[in-house]
Amino acid sequence: MPRERALPHTTEIDLAYLNRINCNTEAQLQILTPLRPIRLKTRLIGIDPDNAIILALGQDKYWQAAQDYITQGQGVVVRLINSDDPEANILAFRSQIKTLLNNAGRWLVVNYPKELQSVALRQHCRIPVHLAASIHERQTEGHSTHVCSSGFLQDVSVKGGAYIGEEIEGATLDKGYRLQVKFEETPETLSVPITLKNIQSPEPGRSQYQYGFTLDESQEEETPNDFAQKVIINHLMQQPNN
């Protein structure tokens, strides 16, 4: 059974890794508003160690809708996905907007982080998460609306994970289902095919079952790596370091 790995605290190694990330690395910006967070896609322009992180200032409709919040001092969460790294490191940190620059380009400058969360998507590393989820029947065409179980995703890796929830009637090992994960702060729902590999009955005094599963490849949907990456990123965004 792959071992779980807790999210580590910031170290000098993490910050040194951050400083070496290549320009144009994919980045996502979450603006912390009173109502609900706003999430924007961007890319890394550069890093001034111990001083600032420079991101591209977007121009699409989502950026335009968020322009009232893109001001000096606004709280944000930044996440960087270093897909060039064999371990596909994901970094997330809280910061504040420092300034906007429009001279050499359209740039958004945020303060250099004091604390950082780092996760590596190793093949056999299970990352603990806690996200609302459900398991559905798998159909050859389209997605089934029949919910077999409601619960939550306990942990995930690029190969599979663990789900805890209501008993799945008629569940057997190696049977295929569809896992849906709902993110709290956005309307987005991820859906991927899975195969059950382990079933654990409830502990005394409890009613929920635990199901271990593998993520199945699908030509029409998220790859297992993409699914795991999105789940972990959203978990980091919901629980960044204070």
Side-chain angles (χ1 to χ4, degrees), residues 32-66:
L32 305 174
T33 72
L35 297 179
R36 63 184 306 173
I38 300 171
R39 297 184 180 183
L40 304 169
K41 292 184 178 181
T42 181
R43 59 188 175 86
L44 180 67
I45 299 298
I47 297 176
D48 184 4
D50 300 320
N51 183 34
I53 308 290
I54 305 171
L55 304 170
L57 192 61
Q59 302 183 62
D60 62 26
K61 62 180 181 180
Y62 301 104
W63 279 87
Q64 293 174 12

Side-chain angles (χ1 to χ4, degrees), residues 2-55:
R3 64 184 180 87
E4 292 186 0
R5 179 184 182 222
L7 299 181
H9 295 293
T10 304
T11 66
E12 292 183 0
I13 294 176
D14 292 327
L15 295 176
Y17 180 88
L18 171 65
N19 295 337
R20 294 195 303 270
I21 291 182
N22 294 330
C23 296
N24 289 320
T25 291
E26 177 186 349
Q28 297 185 21
L29 182 74
Q30 176 176 310
I31 300 177
L32 305 174
T33 72
L35 297 179
R36 63 184 306 173
I38 300 171
R39 297 184 180 183
L40 304 169
K41 292 184 178 181
T42 181
R43 59 188 175 86
L44 180 67
I45 299 298
I47 297 176
D48 184 4
D50 300 320
N51 183 34
I53 308 290
I54 305 171
L55 304 170

Side-chain angles (χ1 to χ4, degrees), residues 31 118 141 186 226 232 236-237:
I31 300 177
S118 173
E141 295 183 2
T186 71
D226 289 341
I232 293 169
L236 287 176
M237 298 304 281

Side-chain angles (χ1 to χ4, degrees), residues 40-109:
L40 304 169
K41 292 184 178 181
T42 181
R43 59 188 175 86
L44 180 67
I45 299 298
I47 297 176
D48 184 4
D50 300 320
N51 183 34
I53 308 290
I54 305 171
L55 304 170
L57 192 61
Q59 302 183 62
D60 62 26
K61 62 180 181 180
Y62 301 104
W63 279 87
Q64 293 174 12
Q67 62 182 353
D68 290 343
Y69 295 100
I70 303 175
T71 58
Q72 185 175 4
Q74 171 66 53
V76 298
V77 176
V78 178
R79 56 190 181 187
L80 299 167
I81 304 95
N82 191 11
S83 55
D84 293 333
D85 190 309
E87 292 189 342
N89 279 50
I90 301 172
L91 306 178
F93 58 88
R94 284 185 182 272
S95 185
Q96 301 82 35
I97 295 177
K98 193 169 189 177
T99 188
L100 305 179
L101 298 177
N102 293 291
N103 296 331
R106 291 176 50 81
W107 297 343
L108 175 69
V109 183

Side-chain angles (χ1 to χ4, degrees), residues 106-139:
R106 291 176 50 81
W107 297 343
L108 175 69
V109 183
V110 303
N111 291 325
Y112 191 84
K114 296 180 180 179
E115 293 188 340
L116 183 71
Q117 286 186 333
S118 173
V119 172
L121 285 182
R122 297 187 180 94
Q123 185 172 1
H124 299 295
C125 180
R126 296 259 289 259
I127 307 299
V129 298
H130 192 288
L131 295 170
S134 56
I135 290 181
H136 300 244
E137 292 180 343
R138 189 193 295 191
Q139 296 182 340

Side-chain angles (χ1 to χ4, degrees), residues 186-213:
T186 71
E188 183 179 10
T189 298
L190 293 183
S191 178
V192 291
I194 63 170
T195 298
L196 296 186
K197 291 298 181 180
N198 179 268
I199 302 175
Q200 294 185 22
S201 299
E203 297 178 356
R206 299 191 176 185
S207 60
Q208 292 184 314
Y209 284 68
Q210 177 173 309
Y211 298 93
F213 61 86

